[in-house]
Amino acid sequence: MKKWAKGLSALAVGASLVLIAAFLWRSREDLRGVDWLAMLPALGLSLLLYGVSLGAQGWVWIGTVSKLTGIAWNAWDVAAYFQTHLVRRLPGAPWYMASRAILYEARGPDGPASAVAASLFEWIGTFSTAAVWAAGGRWGWGWGLVLVFVLVALASSFPRLSRSSHFPKRLARLGRLSPGRVVCALTVYMLVWVLATFILQLLIRALAPQAGLAWGSLASAWALSAAVSMLTFFAPAGLGVRELTLVAQLAPSTGLAVGTLVALLVRLVFTVGDLFYFGLVSLVRHMIQESPG
């Protein structure tokens, strides 16, 4: 990779670390009141579930970009995904898409465009499946099922739609994906929201076991807050937007204080998880010394 590209990538990761420190400092009073010893089992299991979720999303994205470039993926791709996901978590969508395009210059002329197309596909997949969970909780799971059938129908006709003159040119290369691959990706994204809901449930039960929130309501609340934050492209992973939306939905059942603390702890788990798994993957890659070629 070019020196300026490496510098830009390092700058983005550095900005992530600064924003993490700022977030923790700003939330220090709320976090200080937590009985961390009693929270350890819930936090540990949440971190593990987040790792499974992150790995599933990485499997979809790496497979997508490999299909678009026509180059078999290796450990370099895995490290690139976790590095750019860390950038996605904090500086925001423009940063992580740009950093992926820069990194994938190493994959040849098709690399940058393929990385951006795969990232847009990832955004569409996570947003549309979030809409399914949010709609199911708000309007009834019958409507959620209807949206699932709509997504499957669109996935089945995706290659044909991508050849339409009205289809965005930046996404046209996604027509190389088979309907089966698109449906598989959407299925993974649907399950990712399930894992996220379990994390939310674990933290709520640890802080307020008396709160009577059904699992379906939690799934809908989490998906809605995430979908709203995804619409704020330039915010650091919807920093503040996701938390406010989540607190507004949790507070009637958990109380404002517990709802706020749960939202902060979810952010903390995801942030620490991004750093931990990025570091773990970087260490493994350093040990096996895979090159991008």
Side-chain angles (χ1 to χ4, degrees), residues 39 42 200-213 218 250-251 253-262 265:
M39 288 290 296
L200 187 60
Q201 188 178 49
L202 279 169
L203 296 177
I204 290 175
R205 285 183 174 176
L207 287 170
Q210 75 282 359
L213 280 167
L218 284 179
L250 294 180
S253 299
T254 65
L256 182 60
V258 172
T260 302
L261 191 52
V262 167
L265 287 176

mmCIF file of all heavy atoms in Angstrom, residues 39 42 200-213 218 250-251 253-262 265:
data_model
loop_
_atom_site.group_PDB
_atom_site.id
_atom_site.type_symbol
_atom_site.label_atom_id
_atom_site.label_comp_id
_atom_site.label_asym_id
_atom_site.label_seq_id
_atom_site.Cartn_x
_atom_site.Cartn_y
_atom_site.Cartn_z
ATOM 1 N N MET A 39 -21.273 -7.577 37.277
ATOM 2 C CA MET A 39 -21.586 -7.467 35.850
ATOM 3 C C MET A 39 -20.672 -8.314 34.972
ATOM 4 O O MET A 39 -20.951 -8.504 33.792
ATOM 5 C CB MET A 39 -21.474 -6.007 35.400
ATOM 6 C CG MET A 39 -22.581 -5.090 35.888
ATOM 7 S SD MET A 39 -24.169 -5.461 35.093
ATOM 8 C CE MET A 39 -23.805 -5.076 33.380
ATOM 9 N N ALA A 42 -22.189 -11.155 32.687
ATOM 10 C CA ALA A 42 -22.999 -10.613 31.597
ATOM 11 C C ALA A 42 -22.124 -9.918 30.553
ATOM 12 O O ALA A 42 -22.328 -10.072 29.346
ATOM 13 C CB ALA A 42 -24.039 -9.636 32.148
ATOM 14 N N LEU A 200 -28.361 -7.196 24.593
ATOM 15 C CA LEU A 200 -29.185 -6.196 25.270
ATOM 16 C C LEU A 200 -29.938 -6.823 26.443
ATOM 17 O O LEU A 200 -30.014 -6.252 27.538
ATOM 18 C CB LEU A 200 -30.165 -5.597 24.254
ATOM 19 C CG LEU A 200 -31.023 -4.414 24.705
ATOM 20 C CD1 LEU A 200 -30.146 -3.247 25.125
ATOM 21 C CD2 LEU A 200 -31.975 -4.003 23.589
ATOM 22 N N GLN A 201 -30.474 -8.003 26.237
ATOM 23 C CA GLN A 201 -31.231 -8.700 27.283
ATOM 24 C C GLN A 201 -30.336 -9.069 28.465
ATOM 25 O O GLN A 201 -30.732 -8.931 29.631
ATOM 26 C CB GLN A 201 -31.870 -9.956 26.689
ATOM 27 C CG GLN A 201 -32.835 -10.661 27.613
ATOM 28 C CD GLN A 201 -33.478 -11.867 26.933
ATOM 29 O OE1 GLN A 201 -32.797 -12.696 26.348
ATOM 30 N NE2 GLN A 201 -34.807 -11.940 26.997
ATOM 31 N N LEU A 202 -29.119 -9.526 28.175
ATOM 32 C CA LEU A 202 -28.177 -9.876 29.238
ATOM 33 C C LEU A 202 -27.875 -8.685 30.135
ATOM 34 O O LEU A 202 -27.870 -8.788 31.361
ATOM 35 C CB LEU A 202 -26.872 -10.392 28.625
ATOM 36 C CG LEU A 202 -26.829 -11.846 28.170
ATOM 37 C CD1 LEU A 202 -25.558 -12.100 27.354
ATOM 38 C CD2 LEU A 202 -26.867 -12.778 29.379
ATOM 39 N N LEU A 203 -27.629 -7.535 29.514
ATOM 40 C CA LEU A 203 -27.265 -6.344 30.279
ATOM 41 C C LEU A 203 -28.447 -5.823 31.092
ATOM 42 O O LEU A 203 -28.272 -5.388 32.240
ATOM 43 C CB LEU A 203 -26.751 -5.262 29.326
ATOM 44 C CG LEU A 203 -25.458 -5.624 28.575
ATOM 45 C CD1 LEU A 203 -25.069 -4.518 27.604
ATOM 46 C CD2 LEU A 203 -24.320 -5.901 29.560
ATOM 47 N N ILE A 204 -29.643 -5.866 30.520
ATOM 48 C CA ILE A 204 -30.817 -5.405 31.247
ATOM 49 C C ILE A 204 -31.089 -6.301 32.457
ATOM 50 O O ILE A 204 -31.382 -5.825 33.555
ATOM 51 C CB ILE A 204 -32.052 -5.354 30.324
ATOM 52 C CG1 ILE A 204 -31.886 -4.225 29.305
ATOM 53 C CG2 ILE A 204 -33.329 -5.151 31.129
ATOM 54 C CD1 ILE A 204 -33.000 -4.176 28.272
ATOM 55 N N ARG A 205 -30.989 -7.614 32.262
ATOM 56 C CA ARG A 205 -31.232 -8.542 33.369
ATOM 57 C C ARG A 205 -30.205 -8.382 34.481
ATOM 58 O O ARG A 205 -30.520 -8.555 35.663
ATOM 59 C CB ARG A 205 -31.223 -9.976 32.845
ATOM 60 C CG ARG A 205 -32.492 -10.344 32.081
ATOM 61 C CD ARG A 205 -32.467 -11.790 31.639
ATOM 62 N NE ARG A 205 -33.737 -12.176 31.025
ATOM 63 C CZ ARG A 205 -33.957 -13.363 30.473
ATOM 64 N NH1 ARG A 205 -32.994 -14.283 30.465
ATOM 65 N NH2 ARG A 205 -35.136 -13.639 29.938
ATOM 66 N N ALA A 206 -28.965 -8.050 34.107
ATOM 67 C CA ALA A 206 -27.927 -7.862 35.121
ATOM 68 C C ALA A 206 -28.158 -6.589 35.928
ATOM 69 O O ALA A 206 -27.863 -6.540 37.128
ATOM 70 C CB ALA A 206 -26.551 -7.813 34.451
ATOM 71 N N LEU A 207 -28.689 -5.550 35.274
ATOM 72 C CA LEU A 207 -28.894 -4.265 35.945
ATOM 73 C C LEU A 207 -30.278 -4.131 36.570
ATOM 74 O O LEU A 207 -30.431 -3.519 37.628
ATOM 75 C CB LEU A 207 -28.686 -3.122 34.940
ATOM 76 C CG LEU A 207 -27.256 -2.847 34.507
ATOM 77 C CD1 LEU A 207 -27.235 -1.879 33.337
ATOM 78 C CD2 LEU A 207 -26.440 -2.283 35.663
ATOM 79 N N ALA A 208 -31.291 -4.669 35.899
ATOM 80 C CA ALA A 208 -32.673 -4.518 36.380
ATOM 81 C C ALA A 208 -33.450 -5.786 36.112
ATOM 82 O O ALA A 208 -34.242 -5.865 35.171
ATOM 83 C CB ALA A 208 -33.339 -3.330 35.691
ATOM 84 N N PRO A 209 -33.234 -6.840 36.923
ATOM 85 C CA PRO A 209 -33.902 -8.118 36.691
ATOM 86 C C PRO A 209 -35.420 -8.034 36.763
ATOM 87 O O PRO A 209 -36.131 -8.872 36.220
ATOM 88 C CB PRO A 209 -33.356 -9.026 37.805
ATOM 89 C CG PRO A 209 -32.566 -8.172 38.710
ATOM 90 C CD PRO A 209 -32.344 -6.854 38.076
ATOM 91 N N GLN A 210 -35.928 -6.982 37.405
ATOM 92 C CA GLN A 210 -37.373 -6.838 37.549
ATOM 93 C C GLN A 210 -38.042 -6.259 36.301
ATOM 94 O O GLN A 210 -39.275 -6.287 36.188
ATOM 95 C CB GLN A 210 -37.693 -5.928 38.751
ATOM 96 C CG GLN A 210 -37.454 -4.441 38.522
ATOM 97 C CD GLN A 210 -35.980 -4.045 38.612
ATOM 98 O OE1 GLN A 210 -35.126 -4.896 38.863
ATOM 99 N NE2 GLN A 210 -35.704 -2.772 38.430
ATOM 100 N N ALA A 211 -37.264 -5.735 35.390
ATOM 101 C CA ALA A 211 -37.840 -5.115 34.191
ATOM 102 C C ALA A 211 -38.505 -6.183 33.323
ATOM 103 O O ALA A 211 -37.877 -7.155 32.920
ATOM 104 C CB ALA A 211 -36.748 -4.391 33.397
ATOM 105 N N GLY A 212 -39.757 -5.988 33.018
ATOM 106 C CA GLY A 212 -40.512 -6.986 32.254
ATOM 107 C C GLY A 212 -40.580 -6.657 30.781
ATOM 108 O O GLY A 212 -41.604 -6.172 30.295
ATOM 109 N N LEU A 213 -39.498 -6.900 30.089
ATOM 110 C CA LEU A 213 -39.447 -6.616 28.655
ATOM 111 C C LEU A 213 -39.389 -7.925 27.879
ATOM 112 O O LEU A 213 -38.479 -8.733 28.078
ATOM 113 C CB LEU A 213 -38.224 -5.760 28.321
ATOM 114 C CG LEU A 213 -38.357 -4.254 28.598
ATOM 115 C CD1 LEU A 213 -37.000 -3.589 28.541
ATOM 116 C CD2 LEU A 213 -39.300 -3.615 27.607
ATOM 117 N N LEU A 218 -37.610 -6.170 22.800
ATOM 118 C CA LEU A 218 -36.208 -5.771 22.828
ATOM 119 C C LEU A 218 -35.596 -5.814 21.435
ATOM 120 O O LEU A 218 -34.833 -4.916 21.041
ATOM 121 C CB LEU A 218 -35.411 -6.681 23.760
ATOM 122 C CG LEU A 218 -35.572 -6.453 25.264
ATOM 123 C CD1 LEU A 218 -34.729 -7.456 26.030
ATOM 124 C CD2 LEU A 218 -35.178 -5.032 25.635
ATOM 125 N N LEU A 250 -36.571 2.082 26.105
ATOM 126 C CA LEU A 250 -36.387 1.261 27.301
ATOM 127 C C LEU A 250 -36.922 1.919 28.564
ATOM 128 O O LEU A 250 -37.387 1.229 29.479
ATOM 129 C CB LEU A 250 -34.902 0.949 27.500
ATOM 130 C CG LEU A 250 -34.205 0.083 26.456
ATOM 131 C CD1 LEU A 250 -32.736 -0.111 26.838
ATOM 132 C CD2 LEU A 250 -34.901 -1.262 26.303
ATOM 133 N N ALA A 251 -36.828 3.244 28.629
ATOM 134 C CA ALA A 251 -37.150 3.966 29.863
ATOM 135 C C ALA A 251 -38.526 3.652 30.456
ATOM 136 O O ALA A 251 -38.636 3.525 31.683
ATOM 137 C CB ALA A 251 -36.999 5.472 29.625
ATOM 138 N N SER A 253 -40.057 0.968 30.735
ATOM 139 C CA SER A 253 -40.034 -0.316 31.452
ATOM 140 C C SER A 253 -38.909 -0.408 32.473
ATOM 141 O O SER A 253 -39.069 -1.018 33.536
ATOM 142 C CB SER A 253 -39.899 -1.473 30.456
ATOM 143 O OG SER A 253 -40.997 -1.502 29.566
ATOM 144 N N THR A 254 -37.754 0.186 32.149
ATOM 145 C CA THR A 254 -36.590 0.048 33.023
ATOM 146 C C THR A 254 -36.355 1.271 33.903
ATOM 147 O O THR A 254 -35.609 1.183 34.882
ATOM 148 C CB THR A 254 -35.323 -0.181 32.185
ATOM 149 O OG1 THR A 254 -35.064 0.987 31.380
ATOM 150 C CG2 THR A 254 -35.473 -1.385 31.278
ATOM 151 N N GLY A 255 -36.953 2.393 33.546
ATOM 152 C CA GLY A 255 -36.623 3.648 34.207
ATOM 153 C C GLY A 255 -35.534 4.349 33.422
ATOM 154 O O GLY A 255 -34.734 3.708 32.726
ATOM 155 N N LEU A 256 -35.492 5.665 33.538
ATOM 156 C CA LEU A 256 -34.550 6.452 32.746
ATOM 157 C C LEU A 256 -33.103 6.140 33.091
ATOM 158 O O LEU A 256 -32.260 5.985 32.203
ATOM 159 C CB LEU A 256 -34.824 7.951 32.950
ATOM 160 C CG LEU A 256 -33.953 8.913 32.142
ATOM 161 C CD1 LEU A 256 -34.119 8.676 30.646
ATOM 162 C CD2 LEU A 256 -34.294 10.354 32.490
ATOM 163 N N ALA A 257 -32.786 6.013 34.379
ATOM 164 C CA ALA A 257 -31.405 5.790 34.799
ATOM 165 C C ALA A 257 -30.876 4.454 34.267
ATOM 166 O O ALA A 257 -29.785 4.385 33.693
ATOM 167 C CB ALA A 257 -31.297 5.834 36.311
ATOM 168 N N VAL A 258 -31.663 3.377 34.448
ATOM 169 C CA VAL A 258 -31.231 2.053 33.982
ATOM 170 C C VAL A 258 -31.172 2.019 32.459
ATOM 171 O O VAL A 258 -30.228 1.469 31.878
ATOM 172 C CB VAL A 258 -32.171 0.957 34.512
ATOM 173 C CG1 VAL A 258 -31.844 -0.389 33.870
ATOM 174 C CG2 VAL A 258 -32.047 0.847 36.022
ATOM 175 N N GLY A 259 -32.162 2.615 31.806
ATOM 176 C CA GLY A 259 -32.163 2.645 30.341
ATOM 177 C C GLY A 259 -30.934 3.340 29.789
ATOM 178 O O GLY A 259 -30.310 2.877 28.832
ATOM 179 N N THR A 260 -30.558 4.446 30.409
ATOM 180 C CA THR A 260 -29.365 5.180 29.977
ATOM 181 C C THR A 260 -28.107 4.360 30.196
ATOM 182 O O THR A 260 -27.221 4.300 29.340
ATOM 183 C CB THR A 260 -29.259 6.512 30.744
ATOM 184 O OG1 THR A 260 -30.437 7.290 30.518
ATOM 185 C CG2 THR A 260 -28.044 7.304 30.299
ATOM 186 N N LEU A 261 -28.031 3.717 31.367
ATOM 187 C CA LEU A 261 -26.850 2.912 31.684
ATOM 188 C C LEU A 261 -26.732 1.716 30.745
ATOM 189 O O LEU A 261 -25.629 1.369 30.302
ATOM 190 C CB LEU A 261 -26.928 2.438 33.137
ATOM 191 C CG LEU A 261 -25.661 1.809 33.713
ATOM 192 C CD1 LEU A 261 -24.463 2.712 33.505
ATOM 193 C CD2 LEU A 261 -25.860 1.517 35.195
ATOM 194 N N VAL A 262 -27.855 1.089 30.413
ATOM 195 C CA VAL A 262 -27.826 -0.035 29.469
ATOM 196 C C VAL A 262 -27.304 0.430 28.113
ATOM 197 O O VAL A 262 -26.458 -0.236 27.494
ATOM 198 C CB VAL A 262 -29.233 -0.651 29.320
ATOM 199 C CG1 VAL A 262 -29.280 -1.592 28.118
ATOM 200 C CG2 VAL A 262 -29.620 -1.408 30.582
ATOM 201 N N LEU A 265 -23.613 0.872 28.326
ATOM 202 C CA LEU A 265 -22.891 -0.397 28.417
ATOM 203 C C LEU A 265 -22.874 -1.125 27.069
ATOM 204 O O LEU A 265 -21.885 -1.791 26.730
ATOM 205 C CB LEU A 265 -23.510 -1.283 29.500
ATOM 206 C CG LEU A 265 -23.236 -0.861 30.940
ATOM 207 C CD1 LEU A 265 -23.988 -1.753 31.916
ATOM 208 C CD2 LEU A 265 -21.743 -0.891 31.236
#
